[in-house]
Amino acid sequence: MAKTIEGLYYSESHEWVKIEGEYGYVGITDYAQQAMGNIVYVDMPEEGDEFGAGEEFGAVESVKAASDLISPVSGVVEEINEALEDQPELINKDAYETWIMKVKLNDPSEIESLMDAAAYAGFCEKEQH
């Protein structure tokens, strides 16, 4: 069963967002990191870049695959997780503690179109069958 965290919002492309005030922290889900295997590189955006919900903002590469990162929310990149430049495997250690980018949200109501933990767990169950 896919590990989820209550209070996060999930997209069908397996990214999560944690909302803190006017900011959102974005990462990939535990389900995604398990499917990818050992992550060896994270291609991150630049601070100041702006993305719409559903737009590609980077990629993660593992020993067996590369996968585009799709932003679950629209906003401007305030910060990237620089630790991932030298330690991309942090995502494998704890996908929900390891955010990739912090964005200033353009439209906080966008989270209403994302899944909660229970809905995302159900979505993952269906994907496995």
Side-chain angles (χ1 to χ4, degrees):
M1 176 141 165
K3 178 182 163 198
T4 56
I5 304 278
E6 290 295 328
L8 299 182
Y9 299 90
Y10 301 86
S11 69
E12 289 188 359
S13 54
H14 304 288
E15 287 84 16
W16 56 263
V17 60
K18 176 182 177 183
I19 305 298
E20 288 189 357
E22 61 186 347
Y23 297 99
Y25 291 85
V26 178
I28 67 168
T29 66
D30 191 60
Y31 180 87
Q33 73 81 18
Q34 283 184 5
M36 291 201 66
N38 292 332
I39 293 172
V40 294
Y41 179 71
V42 183
D43 179 24
M44 293 181 282
E46 301 283 325
E47 290 177 15
D49 286 355
E50 186 165 1
F51 299 98
E55 286 184 18
E56 183 183 324
F57 71 87
V60 285
E61 294 177 21
S62 72
V63 290
K64 62 182 181 180
S67 182
D68 291 337
L69 294 167
I70 308 298
S71 185
V73 291
S74 60
V76 177
V77 178
E78 287 282 315
E79 193 179 339
I80 59 167
N81 188 345
E82 292 180 5
L84 292 174
E85 290 172 355
D86 297 322
Q87 297 177 286
E89 69 277 3
L90 290 172
I91 292 174
N92 293 122
K93 288 188 180 136
D94 192 336
Y96 294 121
E97 283 297 316
T98 310
W99 53 275
I100 296 169
M101 70 173 180
K102 174 185 175 184
V103 296
K104 188 169 195 300
L105 301 169
N106 286 346
D107 181 2
S109 71
E110 287 174 338
I111 61 166
E112 293 166 18
S113 66
L114 299 172
M115 292 176 273
D116 65 11
Y120 179 70
F123 175 78
C124 291
E125 286 287 307
K126 286 190 192 118
E127 275 213 341
Q128 290 172 335
H129 297 292

